[in-house]
Amino acid sequence: MESEERRLDLPDATYLVARVGVASLTVFMQWWWVNQLPVASQRDLHFAGAALWVLGTVFTVAAVLVWPRVDMSKALAFTLPTDLIALALLTAAVGQHEDPYYALFFAGAVIHAVKSSLPQRWMGASLLALSYVLGHVLGGHVLVSPSTYPFLLGKVAILVAFAWVLGRIITEQTERAFSLEVESEQVEALNAQLERRVAEMQAVAEVSDMLHSTLDVDSVGGDVLDVILKLLGWDAISVFVVDTTTNETVFSATRGVASRSAKFAYSSGESVTDSYGLEGSFGCFEVLEYHKLLVVLCADSRLIESIDENDRRVIQAVAAELAVAVENAQLYRLTRRLANTDELTGLYNYRYLQQRLDEEISRARRYNKTLSFLMIDVDDFKRINDTYGHLVGDSVLRELGEIMKSTVREVDVVVRYGGEEFSVILPETDAAGAFIVAEKIRENVAMHRFKDEDGEPSIKVTVSIGVANMPVHADDKESLLRAADDAVYYAKESGKDRVRAPRIRLTRFGRPVEAPSTSGRSGEDA
């Protein structure tokens, strides 16, 4: 049976117990008191009423406890006809004896007021009042004594009025409870929205702090995506920032998906199936365009389609912060490049040379490495300016920078020292190796023909190069620069178009000694 699984509330349980008690009382009344009445018709009416009430009670208890789809209101509707007839018969039988069953009419009105809807309350109360009147008419009580009419009507009026008042109260309480429940749900919804907005604001603030705490946006890109994934509840996402003028991707970050799938989905503009752990198709959409930057987000196509307006606003806010951070990083890199770059030749400038020499010397000392430095001076450059003009002179300097960059390694640093002077930092290069590099530069310049004012390659240029090494010729930055400058001056004195080392070098005790001199165009053996 399902009676063990079904739980009754207190009013339903109380009603069932009371009904069973009333059924027991009617049986007792039939056996002990009614059987003593002298009129057989009264005994028969009472027996019929008691039997109907007992049958209605058995049906109600069985329906409520056995059948799960039958609640108390349905049971009351099913047993109402039999209850009305039973109460009318019981009233007809013993109504003239202090009307003992009037309380059942009253209780019935209360039960229907509590458990039934508004129309059923009125119908139930009206039928109970009618049953009460018919019971008295059937028993002949009102016909015997007309003086009982006012009392009868008063009881009927009290029965109906009580049912109306109680029903009204219950209706108002039900409406108030429903209104409170609706308001509670609205408050919960508002609280959920407030918590969501707070979480979104915190996420945007956290992303803003990350992006504006550094000018290296790439280093925090993954952390930014982690915040977005946590907020949206997604598993995978990719973000690209594109320079619309060059169609170049200037920033990209990926979380939870193969970067190849993300880049292919973005570049092709089509949804793709990721073969590296993401279920479903992977698509992209443009989130925001800021100045010349376009922010593109890629994720599972189903998640993109499910984005609501609130999520879209948050994503746009994060994208705006990201675009500003990327633009600031670009401006910072441009500023650094302009600050460290010679405008004419595109080589590093004197400022960068000082900074880089400090770094390379510190690194050479830390790891016990050697470091070489070349100082390069263009021979008779004033003659070129005087003969061909300054525009041609500037062109010669630019071509010289390109020749030097193409001759040295990628790790070597070519710098325009100033005017017609250049220098090259050679990390982890000993004096002999530096001499070879310097000789290659000298030969390449000497073999090259530079363009004149007509664009014809007719100008011949030579350079004098000084080679200095640390720790052979110097033990710090100032002495290294001084040694290289001495070497290039020595090359000029020796006839130009030469490579020379300093005329002094350091011993292992750090004392300067006179360097041996050599003859020939290439200079001394470093």
Side-chain angles (χ1 to χ4, degrees):
M1 295 179 60
E2 297 188 12
S3 58
E4 297 179 357
E5 300 178 0
R6 184 166 185 175
R7 294 183 180 180
L8 299 176
D9 56 15
L10 183 61
D12 291 349
T14 302
Y15 172 73
L16 293 180
V17 172
R19 188 176 180 96
V20 172
V22 172
S24 302
L25 179 63
T26 56
V27 173
F28 175 77
M29 290 279 288
Q30 180 67 34
W31 171 75
W32 178 73
W33 182 65
V34 176
N35 283 333
Q36 299 179 10
L37 295 176
V39 182
S41 60
Q42 290 182 327
R43 294 195 297 271
D44 294 338
L45 289 174
H46 191 277
F47 177 79
L52 283 176
W53 186 266
V54 169
L55 290 175
T57 300
V58 172
F59 175 80
T60 301
V61 173
V64 172
L65 297 182
V66 175
W67 294 299
R69 294 185 178 181
V70 178
D71 56 13
M72 186 60 70
S73 60
K74 292 182 179 180
L76 290 175
F78 291 152
T79 58
L80 180 61
T82 57
D83 289 348
L84 293 173
I85 296 174
L87 290 174
L89 293 176
L90 293 174
T91 301
V94 296
Q96 77 274 22
H97 301 284
E98 302 298 333
D99 205 2
Y101 289 111
Y102 178 71
L104 295 183
F105 288 95
F106 209 90
V110 172
I111 294 299
H112 280 277
V114 172
K115 287 295 181 181
S116 303
S117 61
L118 183 61
Q120 292 175 342
R121 292 172 195 164
W122 284 109
M123 183 178 67
S126 301
L127 292 176
L128 285 170
L130 180 61
S131 175
Y132 182 71
V133 173
L134 290 177
H136 281 282
V137 172
L138 181 63
H141 312 148
V142 296
L143 300 177
V144 173
S145 178
S147 61
T148 61
Y149 291 174
F151 295 101
L152 179 63
L153 294 177
K155 289 182 177 182
V156 170
I158 291 173
L159 181 65
V160 175
F162 181 80
W164 182 84
V165 172
L166 183 61
R168 183 69 178 178
I169 293 173
I170 292 174
T171 299
E172 291 178 355
Q173 289 180 344
T174 302
E175 292 176 351
R176 188 177 297 110
F178 178 76
S179 177
L180 290 175
E181 183 178 357
V182 172
E183 291 177 359
S184 177
E185 292 177 354
Q186 292 176 347
V187 170
E188 290 179 0
L190 290 175
N191 287 336
Q193 292 180 1
L194 180 60
E195 292 176 358
R196 176 70 176 177
R197 297 293 86 77
V198 171
E200 292 171 352
M201 292 176 63
Q202 290 176 342
V204 174
E206 185 177 356
V207 168
S208 179
D209 291 340
M210 288 181 185
L211 293 173
H212 297 295
S213 64
T214 177
L215 290 171
D216 184 9
V217 184
D218 293 329
S219 64
V220 297
D223 297 331
V224 171
L225 295 192
D226 288 337
V227 174
I228 300 177
L229 288 175
K230 182 179 178 181
L231 179 65
L232 299 179
W234 295 1
D235 296 324
I237 190 175
S238 290
V239 172
F240 300 92
V241 179
V242 184
D243 189 334
T244 56
T245 58
T246 62
N247 201 29
E248 176 187 1
T249 300
V250 295
F251 170 85
S252 65
T254 300
R255 273 291 189 269
V257 65
S259 59
R260 280 184 290 176
S261 297
K263 291 180 179 178
F264 181 80
Y266 160 64
S267 60
S268 65
E270 299 178 357
S271 297
V272 297
T273 300
D274 179 58
S275 57
Y276 300 91
L278 183 68
E279 296 181 359
S281 59
F282 200 67
C284 304
F285 74 99
E286 297 178 356
V287 180
L288 177 75
E289 186 170 358
Y290 175 79
H291 293 172
K292 296 183 294 182
L293 299 177
L294 176 66
V295 182
V296 180
L297 183 143
C298 302
D300 190 319
S301 300
R302 294 168 298 181
L303 296 177
I304 293 177
E305 293 175 356
S306 65
I307 294 176
D308 58 19
E309 191 61 30
N310 292 327
D311 290 340
R312 187 175 295 274
R313 282 199 297 266
V314 174
I315 293 174
Q316 289 176 341
V318 172
E321 295 288 342
L322 179 60
V324 171
V326 170
E327 185 180 55
N328 290 339
Q330 287 181 316
L331 292 175
Y332 174 72
R333 286 193 291 267
L334 177 61
T335 302
R336 284 195 61 183
R337 185 173 64 83
L338 293 176
N340 297 324
T341 304
D342 176 63
E343 185 177 358
L344 176 62
T345 62
L347 301 176
Y348 290 114
N349 58 16
Y350 180 79
R351 175 182 178 180
Y352 183 78
L353 170 68
Q354 298 293 325
Q355 174 187 338
R356 187 62 180 269
L357 265 180
D358 288 332
E359 296 173 357
E360 292 298 336
I361 290 174
S362 176
R363 180 172 174 270
R365 287 171 175 170
R366 186 183 308 115
Y367 298 106
N368 196 24
K369 300 290 186 179
T370 184
L371 174 67
S372 293
F373 181 75
L374 306 183
M375 183 71 77
I376 305 169
D377 186 84
V378 181
D379 298 328
D380 301 319
F381 185 71
K382 184 176 182 302
R383 177 182 57 82
I384 297 175
N385 281 334
D386 293 342
T387 303
Y388 301 100
H390 288 280
L391 292 179
V392 174
D394 291 344
S395 175
V396 168
L397 292 177
R398 280 193 293 268
E399 290 188 66
L400 281 170
E402 294 175 359
I403 292 173
M404 295 176 193
K405 287 185 66 176
S406 64
T407 304
V408 301
R409 304 169 300 180
E410 289 186 5
V411 295
D412 300 329
V413 181
V414 181
V415 177
R416 186 185 181 193
Y417 195 86
E420 67 272 18
E421 290 183 307
F422 298 83
S423 58
V424 181
I425 302 174
L426 303 172
E428 298 186 23
T429 305
D430 58 15
F435 188 88
I436 294 174
V437 175
E439 186 62 29
K440 286 182 179 179
I441 293 176
R442 188 196 65 79
E443 290 178 354
N444 289 342
V445 172
M447 293 172 58
H448 187 79
R449 292 296 177 266
F450 297 82
K451 296 178 181 180
D452 56 19
E453 67 273 19
D454 297 325
E456 297 296 329
S458 61
I459 303 176
K460 182 179 179 180
V461 176
T462 62
V463 293
S464 298
I465 304 176
V467 179
N469 177 266
M470 188 182 129
V472 175
H473 305 109
D475 58 1
D476 57 22
K477 183 177 73 172
E478 287 73 16
S479 61
L480 183 65
L481 291 172
R482 192 162 52 247
D485 188 65
D486 178 69
V488 76
Y489 184 75
Y490 184 27
K492 290 281 189 181
E493 283 185 339
S494 302
K496 304 177 182 177
D497 191 18
R498 282 168 171 75
V499 176
R500 289 290 186 267
R503 282 171 286 191
I504 59 172
R505 66 170 63 184
L506 296 180
T507 67
R508 59 177 179 174
F509 301 106
R511 297 174 182 173
V513 298
E514 187 75 18
S517 61
T518 60
S519 59
R521 177 174 293 277
S522 296
E524 73 178 50
D525 183 6

